Structures are given as C-alpha cells and as structure tokens.
Amino acid sequence: MTVYLRSLETAVPPTVLVQSEARDVFAAQPGLTRLGSRLVNTCFDSAAIDTRHTAVEEMTMAFRSDEPQFFDPATGLVLNPTTQVRNEIFAEQATKLFIESAQAALDACPDLTPLDITHVVTVSCTGFFNPGPDYKIVRALGLDPGVQRYHLGFMGCYAAFPALRAAKSFCEADPQAVVLVVCAELCSLHVRTSNDPDTIMGSALFADGAAAAIVTARDVPEAPALLQLDHFETVLTPVGEESMAWNIGDHGFEMVLGNYVPHIIDDHIIGALKPLLDRDPSLVGLPYRDISHWAIHPGGRSILDKVQSRLELTDQQLVPARDTLRDFGNMSSATVLFVLRHILEQPAVDGEERICSMAFGPGLTVETGLFTKLRQVSGAPHVLGTAAAASLA
C-alpha cells in the first residue's frame, strides 16, 4: 500500500533574533571568563546562522516590562528564569504554533474536512503540559472528539521521523485513515548564559518553529500528494550516548552537544544509511550523490560538513539544509520538515525524484527516511500574529 504526504506547512513566531546582535549580547554578559567570551564569539560566528525566530517576545531591545524574566534591555542582562516559568511560556506559546501549523496543513487539503482526521500525532521536546497539544488541536480545529491522539515527547531532533513512521503504519492498517502530524519546538525558552561550552553552543544554534503534515493512503487525483512515504529506519551508533543528551534542570532544559558528535556521525553515517537504502534494490551500490535530494537535519554546520564530505554530496544537494540553518537555526524536531519543504519548493524535473532524509538525536540515534517527490509547492512559512519582527539588539 502506498502512503502519501498530502501537505506540509511550517510556522514560526514573529520575533526575529539577528545572530550577530545576539552574539554581542551574550558576549557582554557578566560572569563570563575570557575563555567563555571567546567561545561565545566563536560559536555564534561559526554557526552559519543569520537569523532565528523566538516565541519569547521579551528577548528584544524593543520590549519593555516592569518585571523582565528572560532579558532586561535596560541593563542588557540575559536572565535565568526557573523551569516552571519557562514551561508556562511553552504551554501558552507552543499551543499557538501547534494550532497555526495544523490548521495550515488541513487548509492545504481542500478535499478534507476536520472530521476526516482520524489520528493526531504531536511532537515536542521543549516543554510539557496536559491536556496537551494533541487535545488543543482537536478543540481548536473542530476535529472529531473521538480522534485517536498520540504525543511523542522528549525524543529530540529526530522525532519527526518516528511521528511520520507511526502515521504511515496507521494508514497501512486502515486505508481510510487520515493522520495529522505536528511538530512544534520552543528551544529558545531554554537559552541561558554560561561558560559551559554545551550551553554556549545551544545559545548559538537553537530556535523556535513548527511544521505540520497530513498523511494518508487515500488517492485523490484532483488533489495530488506532495510526497510518497517509502521507507523509514532507525540506527543507534555504537558510541555517543554521553555526547548528545537533553536533561531537565532547575533553570530550563540542558543540552549536551559534545564537539565529538560530528566525528561520530562521520564514522557511522554509512552504516546508518545501509538499512534504509537496502530496502530499495535500485539504490543498493548507487553513489550517494546520484540520489536526487538530501534532506539532512542541520544540527549544526560541522555536522552538515561531515555528512557532505563522507557521502561526497554536491554543494547543491546541501542547499536545503544549509538555507534552513541560515534562516531559521536548529528548531529540533521541526527542522528536518523545513528542509523537506525547501526541497518541495524546488522546480520539478523530468524523471523520478527520490529524497533521502536523516536526523540525529540523543543516543546517538540516527533516523532515516526515503521519499519520492511527486509535485512542487510554493509559499513561505506562516508567521504567527501580526507583530513586526524585532531583533535582540
């Protein structure tokens, strides 16, 4: 049975962080050692990011509050709220992103109504609340209250793949199933100042965004699908458990992103791809660059560099990942769907266009997916609200 991705929509909050200006703010924080200050400048400058979006409107020079919690523009201080404060913002702001992107994905399928949705799968690793985002989507979009709901929490940057794989399984079990998959992450909630290299790297990389998709096996000729979902695979590398992790602290969630991660990926990416490519005899032994498109999760510039070098991919094949990193930063689970959307926006060519996709996360886990591009889409990410974008400095 063939399962299709019928729509793929993305959304970001309106507040924009300009990388160079954010760097200057973080580099000026009191308590930084000389080495810490150098690391801030190095990490921000080498991240290959120009702009990121944040749901924390307070993280701008233009915002004024009598009781600032995240950033005080009057003093230039990056503040350190408790995990409870951060999570309360998540419950409020992530809900908006979940609903906005989910509504857009449904609107992009005019032949479907809210009552056609049979399953909802939500994904996030940057906050918790209950009734959760799956519930909020059902109420806001007017879905059947009996719709099956699932939430994949705290998996990290690779979680879009388990969500799509689950959606595919639901559709294979029930040919009439219509699954709404929504990933929304507010990584910027957990940004803080520190001399710790992992914390500095997280401050330089992470951002907020959401992506939503409709997955179904229903074939509607007058409303063609975007992608064919072919295969998914999961591989755990033999090393790296301590190199990438995501923990809950008293003052936000704490990222462990060791500088050895790119080397682990470099050593094990070939083996991680083998189970996926072995699923399609036409791809076995084929040079990697002969696969049309590569949707690689941009965990960081050095990760993309290692993947490109090891697989001998062309610069053009890395454009979707590098453009996503440059314009949006690392939005955890939603990011690889932004990369897929970038590929779908490229003009169609003659012949079959295969997409090999991968994302990396705690474990070290490598999730891979193989897709077939069916048509082109157009349009920019949805921007929440009507407020004008602002920068941190």
Side-chain angles (χ1 to χ4, degrees), residues 35 62 84 89 106 114 140 151 178 183 186 214 231 237 251 271 328 335:
L35 175 59
Q84 178 180 350
I89 300 297
L106 183 58
H151 181 70
V178 179
C183 302
L186 301 190
I214 298 289
H231 305 292
T237 61
H251 293 274
F328 300 102
T335 320

Side-chain angles (χ1 to χ4, degrees), residues 10-313:
T10 57
V12 291
T15 302
V16 176
L17 301 180
V18 177
Q19 185 77 346
S20 60
E21 298 169 351
R23 173 204 63 208
D24 293 344
V25 169
F26 276 87
Q29 295 305 300
L32 279 183
T33 64
R34 184 175 298 178
L35 175 59
S37 182
R38 287 203 302 268
L39 283 173
V40 168
N41 284 285
T42 299
C43 289
F44 276 74
D45 289 345
S46 64
I49 294 172
D50 289 346
T51 56
R52 293 176 282 166
H53 290 255
T54 176
V56 185
E57 186 183 0
E58 187 181 301
M59 294 176 70
T60 69
M61 286 294 188
F63 189 83
R64 290 292 183 271
S65 171
D66 293 335
E67 297 180 355
Q69 294 177 308
F70 287 84
F71 177 66
D72 183 356
T75 62
L77 292 178
V78 176
L79 306 178
N80 195 22
T82 64
T83 300
Q84 178 180 350
V85 168
R86 298 174 196 261
N87 198 64
E88 287 172 350
I89 300 297
F90 176 86
E92 176 186 354
Q93 296 298 325
T95 296
K96 297 177 183 178
L97 276 172
F98 273 110
I99 292 171
E100 173 87 6
S101 55
Q103 185 68 65
L106 183 58
D107 290 345
C109 300
D111 58 300
L112 298 176
T113 72
L115 295 181
D116 285 310
I117 302 297
T118 59
H119 302 69
V120 174
V121 182
T122 54
V123 177
S124 190
C125 69
T126 48
F128 301 93
F129 61 94
N130 203 5
D134 49 317
Y135 172 92
K136 299 292 188 180
I137 288 170
V138 171
R139 292 303 193 197
L141 272 62
L143 307 187
D144 185 334
V147 66
Q148 295 187 36
R149 298 181 284 128
Y150 303 86
H151 181 70
L152 301 182
F154 221 64
M155 297 186 79
C157 294
Y158 62 80
F161 286 96
L164 290 175
R165 184 169 57 238
K168 185 173 186 286
S169 295
F170 294 148
C171 295
E172 289 170 340
D174 177 5
Q176 294 305 306
V178 179
V179 186
L180 172 61
V181 175
V182 193
C183 302
E185 305 284 9
L186 301 190
C187 305
S188 71
L189 285 177
H190 304 290
V191 165
R192 59 192 186 280
T193 183
S194 172
N195 287 296
D196 175 67
D198 288 344
T199 302
I200 292 172
M201 181 62 71
S203 299
L205 285 176
F206 285 101
D208 304 348
I214 298 289
V215 176
T216 184
R218 297 185 189 181
D219 188 9
V220 184
E222 64 272 19
L226 302 177
L227 288 176
Q228 177 178 302
L229 305 185
D230 297 324
H231 305 292
F232 294 96
E233 291 290 342
T234 302
V235 170
L236 299 180
T237 61
V239 295
E241 183 176 348
E242 305 301 323
S243 297
M244 188 183 292
W246 191 223
N247 303 310
I248 298 177
D250 292 336
H251 293 274
F253 298 173
E254 299 170 355
M255 166 59 69
V256 176
L257 187 61
N259 58 15
Y260 195 63
V261 168
H263 300 285
I264 297 173
I265 292 172
D266 187 33
D267 289 342
H268 297 286
I269 190 65
I270 299 294
L273 280 171
K274 188 177 187 302
L276 180 76
L277 300 181
D278 282 351
R279 300 286 296 273
D280 188 332
S282 70
L283 300 179
V284 175
L286 192 71
Y288 299 109
R289 68 168 59 199
D290 286 355
I291 298 174
S292 302
H293 303 287
W294 287 82
I296 302 165
H297 168 67
R301 192 189 72 176
S302 58
I303 289 176
L304 295 180
D305 290 345
K306 289 293 186 183
V307 171
Q308 180 175 6
S309 175
R310 175 62 67 180
L311 302 183
E312 298 181 342
L313 302 179

